[in-house]
Amino acid sequence: MDIQTISEEEAAIRQSLADVTAGIEAACSRSGRKLSDVTLIAVSKTKPVSMITDAIRAGQLHFGENKVQEMCEKHNELSDQPITWHLIGHLQKNKVRKAVAVASLIHSVDSVELAAEIQKEAARIGKVQDILLEVNIAEEESKFGLAASETPAIAAEIAKFPNVHIRGLMTVAPYTPVPEENRQYFSALRQLAVDIAQQNIDNIDMCCLSMGMSNDYEIAVEEGATYVRVGSKIFGERIYATEGSSAT
Ligand SMILES: *Cc1c(COP(=O)(O)O)cnc(C)c1O
């Protein structure tokens, strides 16, 4: 890089990306894993595109958004950038067309009906859409996702769609001030992936585990995460607009 002054915003993002990467590296060495087996997704939801370009200059290429509209707008503004987009938030059927147009990986598939819609839109544009199945592994009432017990059968149904490729599982663990408490859920998600992989169903591979956020990503890596989704630890706390002003 040329010697030039960079903004405070960019310096802060560069530093936090380095910190998070060091955390992933430490977790890898504690658990005998390779750093190259873990992909950091920078969750840029609610944050401006200037922060995304700051992160790109620091070498970050995978970005996650939880809303289809926001992902598509940022994708358009940054169409000259080599970004891999991850859709990590709940997906409604009427937004599937836009999601499939942009997302490399949809992390949040939680029904056969949604997968059928993805099949339709992916076939229309000649794409095979990579997806993960979202599992509500902690059985929280407020959360989206499949129950662990129904996941193998639903995976087998979705595997029949030729334009939808299941690559693994995703979970959003409970928020807890004691991240160690989430280890049991990360380990359960990995075990579920192992169980499904053993069924040897065509068109399913269980190579990817998307788990771990700002608070608990190191524990998720120790338990086998291949994607960690980190937002506030990279870009700072999110400030949400009050009611009425945030369309999805
Ligand atoms: C917002 C979000 C994240 C990132 O959360 P942080 O705690 O800010 O790291 C990860 N996964 C999903 C599904 C999210 O919606």
Side-chain angles (χ1 to χ4, degrees):
M1 198 176 97
D2 289 338
I3 296 173
Q4 57 182 25
T5 50
I6 63 172
S7 70
E8 252 174 66
E9 175 186 284
E10 181 171 348
I13 288 173
R14 184 173 289 264
Q15 183 61 52
S16 28
L17 279 169
D19 292 345
V20 172
T21 302
I24 294 172
E25 200 162 14
C28 280
S29 71
R30 285 194 295 275
S31 53
R33 301 188 62 210
K34 287 193 302 226
L35 182 61
S36 58
D37 290 341
V38 184
T39 299
L40 170 60
I41 299 173
V43 177
S44 46
K45 63 189 186 193
T46 80
K47 298 297 183 182
V49 292
S50 66
M51 287 191 164
I52 298 179
T53 51
D54 289 341
I56 293 169
R57 278 192 294 273
Q60 180 64 30
L61 295 174
H62 290 259
F63 292 87
E65 290 285 338
N66 69 335
K67 290 180 176 169
V68 174
Q69 187 67 32
E70 189 173 343
M71 177 180 71
C72 291
E73 282 167 9
K74 287 172 173 170
H75 166 77
N76 286 340
E77 282 187 65
L78 297 165
S79 56
D80 57 336
Q81 300 283 349
I83 297 178
T84 300
W85 288 105
H86 296 259
L87 184 69
I88 61 174
H90 183 63
L91 175 58
Q92 289 167 300
K93 275 201 269 178
N94 62 1
K95 304 226 168 86
V96 165
R97 178 171 294 192
K98 285 183 164 177
V100 166
V102 170
S104 292
L105 182 63
I106 298 175
H107 291 231
S108 49
V109 177
D110 62 359
S111 73
V112 177
E113 293 71 29
L114 179 59
E117 195 65 26
I118 294 172
Q119 165 60 32
K120 193 177 100 194
E121 293 299 337
R124 202 177 60 83
I125 61 169
K127 179 182 188 185
V128 175
Q129 179 67 59
D130 284 337
I131 66 158
L132 304 178
L133 299 178
E134 179 170 357
V135 183
N136 182 2
I137 199 83
E139 298 178 357
E140 289 181 283
E141 269 184 36
S142 58
K143 289 259 170 81
F144 293 108
L146 298 163
S149 59
E150 64 181 343
T151 304
I154 287 180
E157 277 304 301
I158 293 176
K160 294 174 188 164
F161 296 126
N163 295 77
V164 178
H165 186 197
I166 302 177
R167 314 261 355 247
L169 305 178
M170 175 270 213
T171 198
V172 179
Y175 177 78
T176 159
V178 188
E180 189 60 40
E181 287 174 358
N182 281 340
R183 185 181 297 278
Q184 58 180 318
Y185 301 124
F186 298 142
S187 140
L189 193 75
R190 182 175 56 157
Q191 190 54 54
L192 181 60
V194 169
D195 293 345
I196 294 171
Q198 276 171 357
Q199 298 185 323
N200 271 322
I201 302 165
D202 273 355
N203 195 27
I204 294 187
D205 68 69
M206 281 283 140
C207 61
C208 300
L209 286 177
S210 169
M211 56 190 195
M213 301 169 36
S214 287
N215 201 30
D216 53 16
Y217 71 92
E218 290 196 34
I219 291 167
V221 168
E222 288 174 18
E223 295 301 325
T226 64
Y227 288 108
V228 290
R229 310 178 307 266
V230 179
S232 46
K233 210 149 186 198
I234 295 170
F235 297 112
E237 293 302 321
R238 288 175 293 275
I239 299 157
Y240 285 99
T242 43
E243 226 177 299
S245 58
S246 75
T248 60

